[in-house]
């Protein structure tokens, strides 16, 4: 996970630091100090991955060599307490590729240092294990004048010290306790050195920290973003870790336990526990909010719904409802059985019709095949001298009659009449059977379907009505009884909800209501039997009418041609 780190320190002569020595340390190269005549070589080349120097506008071209650049700034700064350079150390996110590391560093230096006239050299480091990627940025602590290409003249100036009222503070002589004066008798005031270097200002340092976070976040996913603010500025009460340092990590690598590293581990454990507790509390509060909102919705829906009507006393009609369901099932089975008997009678009558009359398609097909059969028979019975010519004639006639057969019986798949007499005779028998089966298929299919439905109905008739069906029908009977006693009550009756009792009537009888659907009061067994008998009579009359309408053997038979069978 990416972490944020940026620190700025001075390379000060007062503390024994040199810009050239620092350059040798971060680049891992030998650097000669021209001002002191010393050469520095700190090695550690295995950790240095890349070195680069970026110059501002107007800088001399020779400053592209970092040794020339920092020797020049060392020679220019003559004071014993001069600070010729500043060192910025940043942590590089592990999510960055090597190319992204270089791009982020150079973009940061150009926008925050080169733009203000500073020249800088950077070096990217890693430890021996390939971890802890970071970068050192060594910045010349004096700006370059773009007009002349030389170093800027002013770096600091002296200003009067002012008190809280904005007035100058006098310089007091500790021996006399009075304000000091010069030789001319002029009073002396306290003065202080004010840096004109932007890198020494607090606002610039804050801008450097914020800019590094923005530069990295532009290349990181949302889940790996870093924040330049301290935990206190972020409003977090997590405990910050302390700086471990190289010595503490060396102790850990050697197998020991560093106090600083151990303290950081304890801080991370405490912070992790606190974060987990907060996450769990957040999840609990979110769930409580969801439950509370769901409860509010339920209460509002309950208030919006009218009071449910009292369920009528359906137990009084429970016996009638059970008997009604059983009677409807028996009626349903009897109706299917009657249809099955009619369908079988239809099949028998059609078979008799076939034996005596046939159909128009059969008569047409038989006459066509007989013509080809006659030609093939003549070829078969001819002598040797005529057989060849008659065989050719039989083939021609068979082809012509096949075309006629396809036109007369278009649904017939095999219409090629053989020219051989034996084969043509067998073809005639096959065609007769195919036409017969095709004509009988709707009737035999209806018989099979009715047999299947009768089996299902008989199986359902043998089962007892379920308690749910009995209760639904009993409730309906009770509601109809209550509506009959109080007609005004049913005027505002709601639309059907789809929970009405199961309709056991035939699919084609959906338009016909059951005997119990229009009653205003419970009926006796005599009423029930009379209703069933009336329904059976009506269905018998309908079947007779349909039979007179569709039975083909009642129609005028086709005119027969030629001799009989």
């Amino acid at each position: 996970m990416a972490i944020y780190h940026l620190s700025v320190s001075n390379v000060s002569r007062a503390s024994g630091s040199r810009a050239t020595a620092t350059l040798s340390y971060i680049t891992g190269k030998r650097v000669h100090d021209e001002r002191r005549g010393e050469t520095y070589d700190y090695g550690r080349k295995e950790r240095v991955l890349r070195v680069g120097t970026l110059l501002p506008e107007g800088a001399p071209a020779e400053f592209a060599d970092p040794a020339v650049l920092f020797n020049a700034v060392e020679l220019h700064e003559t004071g014993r307490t001069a600070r010729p350079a500043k060192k910025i150390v940043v942590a590089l996110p592990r999510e960055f590729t090597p190319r992204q590391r270089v791009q982020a560093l150079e973009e940061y230096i150009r926008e925050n240092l080169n733009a203000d006239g500073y020249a800088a050299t950077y070096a990217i480091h890693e430890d021996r294990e390939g971890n802890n990627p970071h970068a050192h940025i060594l910045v010349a602590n004096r700006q370059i004048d773009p007009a002349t290409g030389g170093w800027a003249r002013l770096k600091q100036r002296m200003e009067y010290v002012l008190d809280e009222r904005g007035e100058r503070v006098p310089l007091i002589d500790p021996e006399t306790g009075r304000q000091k004066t010069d030789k001319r008798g002029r009073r002396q005031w306290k003065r202080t050195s004010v840096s004109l270097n932007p890198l020494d200002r607090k606002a610039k340092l804050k801008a450097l920290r914020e800019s590094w976070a923005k530069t990295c976040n532009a290349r990181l996913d949302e889940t790996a973003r870093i924040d330049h603010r301290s935990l206190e500025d972020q409003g977090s009460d997590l405990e910050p870790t302390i700086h471990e340092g190289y010595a503490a990590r060396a102790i850990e690598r050697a197998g020991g336990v560093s106090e600083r590293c151990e303290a950081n581990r304890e801080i991370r454990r405490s912070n992790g526990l606190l974060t987990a507790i907060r996450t769990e509390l957040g999840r609990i509060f979110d769930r409580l909010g969801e439950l509370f909102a769901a409860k509010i919705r339920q209460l509002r829906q309950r208030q919006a719904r009218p009071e449910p009507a009292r369920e009528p006393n359906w137990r009084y009609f429970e016996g009638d409802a059970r008997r009604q369901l059983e009677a409807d099932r028996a009626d349903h089975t009897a109706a299917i059985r009657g249809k099955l008997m009619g369908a079988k009678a239809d099949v028998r009558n059609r078979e008799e019709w076939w034996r005596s009359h046939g159909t128009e398609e059969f008569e047409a097909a038989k006459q066509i095949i007989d013509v080809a059969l006659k030609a093939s028979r003549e070829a078969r019975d001819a002598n040797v001298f005529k057989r060849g010519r008659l065989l050719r004639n039989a083939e021609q006639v068979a082809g012509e009659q096949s075309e006629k057969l396809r036109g007369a019986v278009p649904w017939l798949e095999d219409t090629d009449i053989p020219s051989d007499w034996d084969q043509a005779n067998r073809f005639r028998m096959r065609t007769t059977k195919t036409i017969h089966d095709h004509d009988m298929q709707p009737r035999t299919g209806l018989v099979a379907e009715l047999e299947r439905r009768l089996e299902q109905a008989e199986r359902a008739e043998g089962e007892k009505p379920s308690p749910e069906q009995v209760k639904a029908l009993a409730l309906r009977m009770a509601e109809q009884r209550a509506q009959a006693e109080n007609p005004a009550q049913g005027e505002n009756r709601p639309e059907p909800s789809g929970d009405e009792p199961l309709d056991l009537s035939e699919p084609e009888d959906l338009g016909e209501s059951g005997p119990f659907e229009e009653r205003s009061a419970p009926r006796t067994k005599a009423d029930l039997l009379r209703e069933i008998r009336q329904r059976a009579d009506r269905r018998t009359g309908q079947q007779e009418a349909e039979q007179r309408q569709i039975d083909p053997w009642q129609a005028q038979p086709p005119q027969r041609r030629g001799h009989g069978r």
Side-chain angles (χ1 to χ4, degrees), residues 36-312:
R36 296 175 59 88
E38 298 177 354
T39 300
Y40 305 103
D41 187 5
Y42 289 100
R44 303 178 65 173
K45 298 179 182 179
E46 72 279 2
R47 295 181 54 196
V48 181
L49 303 181
R50 184 183 175 93
V51 176
T53 300
L54 300 178
L55 302 176
E57 182 181 358
E62 58 268 19
F63 281 2
D65 185 350
V68 175
L69 170 64
F70 289 100
N71 267 303
V73 74
E74 282 281 358
L75 290 172
H76 186 81
E77 303 292 345
T78 58
R80 290 181 298 173
T81 60
R83 295 178 295 178
K86 288 187 183 294
K87 185 172 67 173
I88 303 174
V89 182
V90 295
L92 295 170
R94 294 183 180 180
E95 291 82 359
F96 278 179
T97 63
R99 181 179 179 84
Q100 288 177 324
R101 294 175 182 177
V102 175
Q103 290 176 345
L105 269 176
E106 293 187 351
E107 178 183 332
Y108 177 74
I109 293 172
R110 289 192 185 96
E111 293 181 356
N112 296 275
L113 299 175
N114 294 159
D116 293 337
Y118 294 100
T121 295
Y122 69 86
I124 299 177
H125 289 188
E126 278 186 353
D127 58 15
R128 289 187 175 91
E129 290 75 20
N131 300 320
N132 189 27
H134 61 281
H136 297 262
I137 306 174
L138 189 60
V139 187
N141 205 19
R142 185 178 289 271
Q143 294 166 297
I144 295 178
D145 188 351
T148 63
W151 300 108
R153 297 182 60 186
L154 293 179
K155 193 175 180 182
Q156 59 186 12
R157 67 183 178 187
M158 301 299 294
E159 291 184 354
Y160 288 109
V161 178
L162 303 179
D163 59 13
E164 61 275 4
R165 294 176 297 180
E167 297 179 356
R168 291 181 293 179
V169 177
L171 185 62
I172 304 299
D173 187 350
E175 295 181 357
T176 61
R178 297 179 180 179
Q179 185 177 5
K180 287 184 178 182
T181 59
D182 59 5
K183 294 179 180 180
R184 297 181 181 180
R186 293 177 298 185
R187 292 179 294 177
Q188 300 293 309
W189 307 91
K190 281 187 177 182
R191 295 197 299 172
T192 183
S193 176
V194 177
S195 175
L196 300 179
N197 186 8
L199 289 179
D200 290 333
R201 298 173 186 170
K202 189 174 182 180
K204 179 63 176 178
L205 296 180
K206 288 184 177 180
L208 287 175
R209 291 179 58 82
E210 182 178 358
S211 179
W212 177 243
K214 290 181 178 179
T215 302
C216 292
N217 288 336
R219 295 169 172 81
L220 290 172
D221 294 334
E222 294 183 359
T223 57
R225 297 292 172 84
I226 58 177
D227 198 328
H228 68 284
R229 298 173 298 173
S230 64
L231 293 176
E232 182 179 359
D233 292 339
Q234 296 178 32
S236 173
D237 55 359
L238 296 177
E239 184 179 359
T241 56
I242 61 176
H243 180 66
E244 296 176 353
Y246 179 82
R249 294 195 183 99
I251 293 173
E252 293 280 328
R253 285 196 298 269
V257 177
S258 168
E259 293 182 1
R260 286 179 170 269
C261 295
E262 183 64 23
N264 277 342
R265 282 192 287 269
E266 184 62 31
I267 290 172
R268 293 189 185 97
R269 282 194 293 268
S270 300
N271 289 340
L273 180 60
L274 181 59
T275 302
I277 292 174
R278 285 178 173 174
T279 303
E280 184 64 19
L281 286 175
R283 189 188 66 80
I284 292 174
F285 284 125
D286 290 343
R287 181 58 180 163
L288 287 175
E290 294 175 0
L291 295 175
F292 182 74
K295 191 65 176 178
I296 292 296
R297 287 194 299 270
Q298 292 178 359
L299 291 175
R300 289 177 178 174
Q301 292 174 359
R302 186 177 302 171
Q303 293 173 358
R305 287 197 304 264
E307 287 293 330
R310 293 182 57 187
E311 186 179 76

Side-chain angles (χ1 to χ4, degrees), residues 312-320 322 471 474-475 478:
N313 185 12
W314 59 272
R315 291 289 184 183
Y316 178 78
F317 302 93
E318 184 176 5
D320 288 342
R322 182 177 291 105
K471 180 179 178 182
L475 279 172

Side-chain angles (χ1 to χ4, degrees), residues 9 16 33 116 145 168 181 192 200 205 242 342 385 409 419 426 504 535 540:
S9 59
D33 191 329
D116 293 337
D145 188 351
R168 291 181 293 179
T181 59
T192 183
D200 290 333
L205 296 180
I242 61 176
F385 300 102
V409 190
S419 59
R426 287 194 292 271
L504 298 177
R535 290 184 62 180
T540 303

Side-chain angles (χ1 to χ4, degrees), residues 329-562:
R329 289 182 177 181
D331 187 25
H332 177 65
T333 304
I336 296 179
R337 188 176 291 111
K339 289 185 177 182
L340 178 59
M341 294 174 60
K344 289 182 177 180
D346 185 15
V347 171
R348 291 192 299 271
N349 294 334
R350 192 61 177 176
E351 289 288 355
E352 294 178 1
W353 171 270
W354 257 91
R355 284 193 293 269
S356 60
H357 297 82
T359 62
E360 291 183 0
E361 288 183 344
F362 170 71
E363 291 294 335
K366 186 184 69 171
Q367 292 179 9
I368 293 171
I369 297 173
D370 285 346
V371 173
L373 196 61
K374 178 181 179 182
S376 61
R377 184 172 60 248
E378 292 177 355
R380 183 198 63 179
D381 298 338
N383 55 30
V384 178
F385 300 102
K386 297 181 180 180
R387 185 172 299 168
R389 178 174 58 81
L390 293 177
L391 283 175
R392 289 190 297 272
N393 179 66
E395 292 177 356
Q396 181 178 359
V397 172
E400 295 173 354
Q401 296 304 109
S402 297
E403 291 294 332
K404 293 181 180 180
L405 183 60
R406 277 191 286 272
V409 190
W411 54 264
L412 192 63
E413 296 181 359
D414 185 9
T415 58
D416 294 330
I417 305 174
S419 59
D420 183 71
W421 186 85
D422 293 331
Q423 295 180 4
N425 202 20
R426 287 194 292 271
F427 177 81
R428 184 176 183 274
M429 290 188 289
R430 288 199 308 270
T431 304
T432 301
K433 184 177 183 307
T434 302
I435 296 175
H436 172 269
D437 294 343
H438 181 269
D439 184 66
M440 295 297 296
Q441 194 276 332
R443 295 168 175 80
T444 56
L446 178 60
V447 169
E449 174 65 19
L450 291 174
E451 288 177 346
R452 183 186 63 80
R453 289 165 58 183
L454 179 61
E455 182 181 356
Q456 294 179 350
E458 289 176 346
R459 185 166 54 251
E461 185 180 2
E463 298 175 356
K464 293 183 178 180
S466 65
E468 292 79 10
Q469 292 176 328
V470 173
K471 180 179 178 182
L473 183 54
L475 279 172
R476 191 170 179 183
M477 290 178 173
E479 291 174 358
Q480 291 173 352
R481 175 63 177 271
Q483 185 179 0
E485 294 176 352
N486 188 8
Q489 184 179 359
E491 293 180 357
N492 299 326
R493 188 173 181 179
E495 293 294 330
S497 62
D499 296 329
E500 290 77 20
L502 179 64
D503 186 5
L504 298 177
S505 61
E506 289 295 319
E508 59 267 23
D509 296 335
L510 289 176
E512 180 181 356
S513 61
F516 56 89
E517 293 178 353
E518 297 179 353
R519 69 175 62 165
S520 59
R523 297 187 179 184
T524 62
K525 291 183 179 180
D527 296 335
L528 180 60
L529 292 175
R530 183 170 55 255
E531 184 66 32
I532 292 174
R533 191 178 299 109
Q534 292 174 359
R535 290 184 62 180
D537 294 340
R538 286 198 302 272
R539 291 183 178 177
T540 303
Q542 292 176 359
Q543 291 175 0
E544 291 177 353
E546 293 174 358
Q547 183 175 353
R548 287 193 300 271
Q549 183 178 358
I550 66 173
D551 280 351
W553 54 83
Q554 299 292 338
Q556 183 68 26
Q559 296 293 331
R560 297 182 55 82
R561 302 181 179 87

